[in-house]
Amino acid sequence: MRIIPKKTKRLLLTMLVAWAGMAGWQTAIAQSNNSGAADQTVPAFSFNIEELMARSENRAPEGATAPSFVIDPTWPKPLPNNWIIGQVGGLSVDADDNIWVYHRPRSLEESSARALETLELNSDNIPIDPLGNPRVMANRIAGCCTPAPSVLKFDQEGNLLAAWGGPQDPGFLENNCLEADGCYWPGNEHGILVDHNNYVYISGNGRNGNGQTPWAASYGNDSHILKFTAEGEFIYQIGYAGLERAGSDDTDGGPNGTPQPFLVADISIDPATNRLYVADGYGNRRVLIIDAETGQYVGHFGAYGQNPVGDSTDNDPIPYNPAPWAAEYRSGFMTPQSFRNPVHCAIVSIDGTLYVCDRSNNRIQVF
């Protein structure tokens, strides 16, 4: 994991706070640009972001070392093609300090995507758009807006450099990510990694419930990882899509002898060894280690570096369910022998230390 420049850290961390309002702000701009009404104006932001940052730093308690943040609502710049962004599943910074955003276009509601054409009629004979949302009128009803492709690449200033991926990117699934080639786009976008060689790895945590919309995956659960070039050319898939349940000790069964992940949360890489460290994830209770060049299995481990062990939630059909272990946590039992769902990050630091986010146990384990 590289040391991220201060400017990039500021952009990334302020972005995290700003995403919730960003789609609405960009929608307002796009509607203003397309409405033609004389009283519509683009919102003006005249503040000085550096001044606001200085004010924020002055609010920190005396002697505090933790950073504080302010929102920069001007980042990123308005997108082309009346595009807007949905929920953000992942962020990554490449070797050139460009910022990659992996978002969920299918999280946008009909009111935010009214420039979409009508796709078809649903089972109740009601017109729906490509997101699966009912349409009041049969055809497109506004100039704004449409969901952007799932993978977006920005420079430091917030200019869009590239965009590709997902069923809302016309022709992508037909030309770049063919199921016949073993490429299944995730049902719900979650984690993204752009490595030191500019390869892009993506994962998902979508379950069968995502199959209710035309754009959602119909094959089942997101039990796989995809690798692409920076331009969106498919390279390989780790694991088969559509696995029915988790298998924390499963080290085989995927394509080309790769392991079988399940609802992967995130991915990082050690440039010195070119090994991927996979937070696996919302279904499995392990860190999975994979050779990035070949996609082949290297190893895996659970909490405390042991083989993954189960607990009372193993047979729970909903992996992220606090009910079986909440009482243990309240009683003060802080050393459970297993990771609990989700294993949400596995981050390699510059000194070779691995930090694992064991979210439901409210702890970080360091290896």
Side-chain angles (χ1 to χ4, degrees):
M1 178 176 168
R2 295 179 302 104
I3 296 297
I4 300 175
K6 183 181 293 184
K7 185 176 181 182
T8 303
K9 286 182 178 178
R10 175 173 72 85
L11 284 171
L12 280 173
L13 292 169
T14 53
M15 278 168 57
L16 294 175
V17 186
W19 280 120
M22 187 59 64
W25 173 69
Q26 290 183 338
T27 300
I29 290 179
Q31 289 173 336
S32 171
N33 289 340
N34 287 279
S35 67
D39 59 347
Q40 296 281 336
T41 58
V42 175
F45 297 96
S46 59
F47 58 79
N48 184 306
I49 189 67
E50 301 296 339
E51 179 182 347
L52 286 179
M53 289 182 69
R55 292 180 186 176
S56 177
E57 290 170 359
N58 291 336
R59 290 199 299 268
E62 184 177 355
T65 58
S68 55
F69 310 103
V70 294
I71 297 172
D72 182 356
T74 64
W75 203 103
K77 296 179 180 178
L79 301 176
N81 307 316
N82 288 326
W83 284 345
I84 55 175
I85 296 172
Q87 297 172 357
V88 174
L91 294 169
S92 187
V93 180
D94 67 20
D96 299 315
D97 289 330
N98 296 310
I99 299 166
W100 294 70
V101 175
Y102 185 43
H103 81 111
R104 299 167 180 161
R106 289 163 285 188
S107 67
L108 292 165
E109 296 182 356
E110 191 267 347
S111 60
S112 298
R114 294 199 167 189
L116 290 172
E117 300 286 353
T118 297
L119 177 65
E120 59 186 22
L121 300 178
N122 65 14
S123 58
D124 296 322
N125 208 34
I126 297 174
I128 57 175
D129 67 17
L131 294 176
N133 298 311
R135 269 289 167 79
V136 177
M137 299 175 63
N139 298 313
R140 59 182 292 180
I141 55 178
C144 179
C145 297
T146 60
S150 292
V151 178
L152 305 171
K153 176 184 177 183
F154 297 96
D155 64 16
Q156 292 277 315
E157 287 69 40
N159 298 299
L160 181 67
L161 302 179
W164 51 264
Q168 71 287 351
D169 182 3
F172 185 83
L173 298 187
E174 292 78 13
N175 301 307
N176 295 64
C177 187
L178 296 167
E179 293 185 2
D181 295 335
C183 182
Y184 291 76
W185 192 262
N188 194 52
E189 295 85 352
H190 197 280
I192 183 171
L193 165 70
V194 183
D195 73 8
H196 52 294
N197 295 315
N198 276 330
Y199 290 114
V200 180
Y201 305 82
I202 63 171
S203 64
N205 70 335
R207 296 184 61 78
N208 286 324
N210 287 327
Q212 73 274 17
T213 63
W215 276 5
S218 59
Y219 50 76
N221 299 319
D222 286 338
S223 44
H224 58 299
I225 300 168
L226 300 177
K227 179 180 181 178
F228 295 91
T229 66
E231 294 73 34
E233 179 184 351
F234 175 64
I235 299 177
Y236 65 59
Q237 177 169 298
I238 299 171
Y240 285 118
L243 187 71
E244 291 301 320
R245 57 164 293 144
S248 293
D249 263 330
D250 185 8
T251 60
D252 202 351
N256 303 314
T258 60
Q260 185 65 67
F262 193 74
L263 308 182
V264 168
D266 211 355
I267 310 164
S268 69
I269 194 166
D270 183 355
T273 62
N274 206 35
R275 289 181 173 179
L276 298 174
Y277 289 82
V278 178
D280 184 21
Y282 279 82
N284 285 325
R285 294 186 176 84
R286 67 180 179 185
V287 174
L288 183 62
I289 309 170
I290 297 170
D291 182 274
E293 177 67 24
T294 64
Q296 298 299 302
Y297 168 79
V298 174
H300 75 282
F301 60 89
Y304 300 99
Q306 307 298 316
N307 284 333
V309 295
D311 62 12
S312 57
T313 66
D314 271 354
N315 295 318
D316 195 321
I318 304 174
Y320 187 38
N321 186 351
W325 50 263
E328 288 185 353
Y329 182 82
R330 285 194 298 268
S331 70
F333 179 58
M334 302 297 183
T335 57
Q337 295 303 298
S338 66
F339 291 136
R340 281 176 173 151
N341 295 305
V343 182
H344 205 262
C345 79
I347 300 174
V348 182
S349 73
I350 196 170
D351 63 357
T353 305
L354 180 69
Y355 294 82
V356 179
C357 304
D358 187 9
R359 189 166 85 180
S360 293
N361 280 328
N362 286 9
R363 67 184 180 184
I364 297 171
Q365 289 204 336
V366 186
F367 300 89

